Amino acid sequence: MARVTDEQPVPVGLSTASVWPLRAGAAFELAAELGYDGVEVMVWADPVSQDVTALRRWSRRTGVPVLSIHSPSLLITQRVWSPDPVVRLRMSVDAALELGARTVVVHPPFRWQRRYGDAFGDLVDELEASSGIEIAVENMFKVRPPGGSRNSRVSAFRPSIDPTDVGFRHYTLDLSHTAAAAMDALALAQRMGEGLTHVHLADGTGVPKDEHLVPGRGGQPCAEVLEKLVSSGFGGQIVLEINTRHAVTPAQRVRDLAEALLFARFHLGQ
């Protein structure tokens, strides 16, 4: 795991995806209001998330730094910035450099992205070496194929949903994804080892879909993972990536985001 190099506490950030359907600017405002240490920008359909100048303006206006950039890796973002995944990853690194972010989060290549998949490991190494940005490859989960049976699941990623099967210098551990994949989160963190530099903190009940619950509301060992990180001298970043789209009022969204932050800080010993 990434190691602490000083006495500074582990930063706890808020993903801009956590305020959807509100735009990224609302995440900066809520992060400032609630006392988060920064934000992770999910680059997707929201025009603000794609605009480095606008993001810099929001960061300066609120005093909230950008900790990380989530590269547009989702199915719905395959044409954000460019239809070429190589260009998208390069632009994500450029955005991180311009905004002073430490980390770029990226998903493994999709199975059908053969050329990108073949070159992915070398591309990540090249970009990390040239930029100094940590490119943290995220664990994923299997999905039910169209027309498949209730229990059938396939991986859309090559070579698998587990990036440690390939081996990268840096990893993102997503606890909603481990829930959906029925993976042992503590064991995966152990396999990631010192390469674990970034955590998407959320929860899940174990159903095969990406729930992104407030930590503590599902069955994942969220508390145990955080406490293990602290005892291991973790020097990376924690980002709350939860789903508040069903919040019926703005106050409920604020309560969920505040509860998630309190959970993280308590189990990090902050």
Side-chain angles (χ1 to χ4, degrees), residues 176-192:
S176 178
H177 293 178
T178 55
M183 295 177 71
D184 183 327
L186 288 164
L188 178 58
Q190 186 67 30
R191 290 197 300 278
M192 289 177 170

Side-chain angles (χ1 to χ4, degrees), residues 69-258:
I69 300 291
H70 195 309
S71 183
S73 306
L74 304 172
L75 276 174
I76 62 171
T77 60
Q78 292 301 289
R79 293 193 173 274
V80 170
W81 279 346
S82 169
D84 185 339
V86 175
V87 174
R88 291 198 300 272
L89 184 53
R90 290 187 181 278
M91 290 184 69
S92 299
V93 171
D94 289 344
L97 286 169
E98 291 188 52
L99 293 166
R102 164 180 167 175
T103 306
V104 166
V105 177
V106 64
H107 295 176
F110 287 115
R111 293 173 67 90
W112 53 86
Q113 294 174 318
R114 293 177 180 257
R115 184 177 299 177
Y116 175 56
D118 289 343
F120 183 67
D122 290 338
L123 175 65
V124 168
D125 288 345
E126 173 210 322
L127 290 172
E128 287 196 320
S130 63
S131 69
I133 299 293
E134 297 172 351
I135 301 178
V137 185
E138 187 172 7
N139 60 292
M140 302 305 294
F141 56 96
K142 294 181 179 181
V143 297
R144 185 168 69 180
S149 68
R150 184 174 182 177
N151 295 320
S152 64
R153 294 290 181 270
V154 297
S155 172
F157 303 95
R158 63 180 303 195
S160 78
I161 60 174
D162 182 350
T164 67
D165 287 345
V166 174
F168 296 95
R169 187 175 178 187
H170 298 107
Y171 299 102
T172 295
L173 173 65
D174 188 301
L175 291 166
S176 178
H177 293 178
T178 55
M183 295 177 71
D184 183 327
L186 288 164
L188 178 58
Q190 186 67 30
R191 290 197 300 278
M192 289 177 170
E194 293 191 6
L196 175 52
T197 191
H198 202 74
V199 176
H200 281 167
L201 183 61
D203 215 330
T205 62
V207 297
K209 66 177 183 179
D210 203 6
E211 295 177 283
H212 284 287
L213 303 179
V214 172
R217 297 185 185 177
Q220 287 298 285
C222 297
E224 293 89 338
V225 166
L226 294 178
E227 290 162 6
K228 179 68 174 176
L229 293 177
V230 172
S231 67
S232 301
F234 178 69
Q237 301 169 323
I238 308 294
V239 169
L240 273 300
E241 192 182 60
I242 65 172
N243 178 1
T244 66
R245 70 175 66 104
H246 300 301
V248 295
T249 65
Q252 182 181 341
R253 174 177 285 110
V254 170
R255 285 195 298 271
D256 286 349
L257 296 176

Side-chain angles (χ1 to χ4, degrees), residues 16 23-25 41-52 54-55 69-70 80-81 95 99:
T16 60
R23 293 191 174 185
V41 176
M42 169 70 83
V43 182
W44 57 1
D46 173 10
V48 176
S49 74
Q50 304 172 28
D51 187 335
V52 172
L55 292 168
I69 300 291
H70 195 309
V80 170
W81 279 346
L99 293 166

Side-chain angles (χ1 to χ4, degrees), residues 2-59:
R3 302 293 176 179
V4 165
T5 56
D6 53 38
E7 296 302 316
Q8 293 298 316
V10 174
V12 181
L14 176 65
S15 170
T16 60
S18 296
V19 306
W20 189 86
L22 303 180
R23 293 191 174 185
F28 281 91
E29 292 178 327
L30 286 166
E33 176 184 342
L34 294 171
Y36 280 83
D37 297 315
V39 301
E40 173 172 297
V41 176
M42 169 70 83
V43 182
W44 57 1
D46 173 10
V48 176
S49 74
Q50 304 172 28
D51 187 335
V52 172
T53 299
L55 292 168
R56 184 184 298 111
R57 189 180 304 121
W58 274 109
S59 181

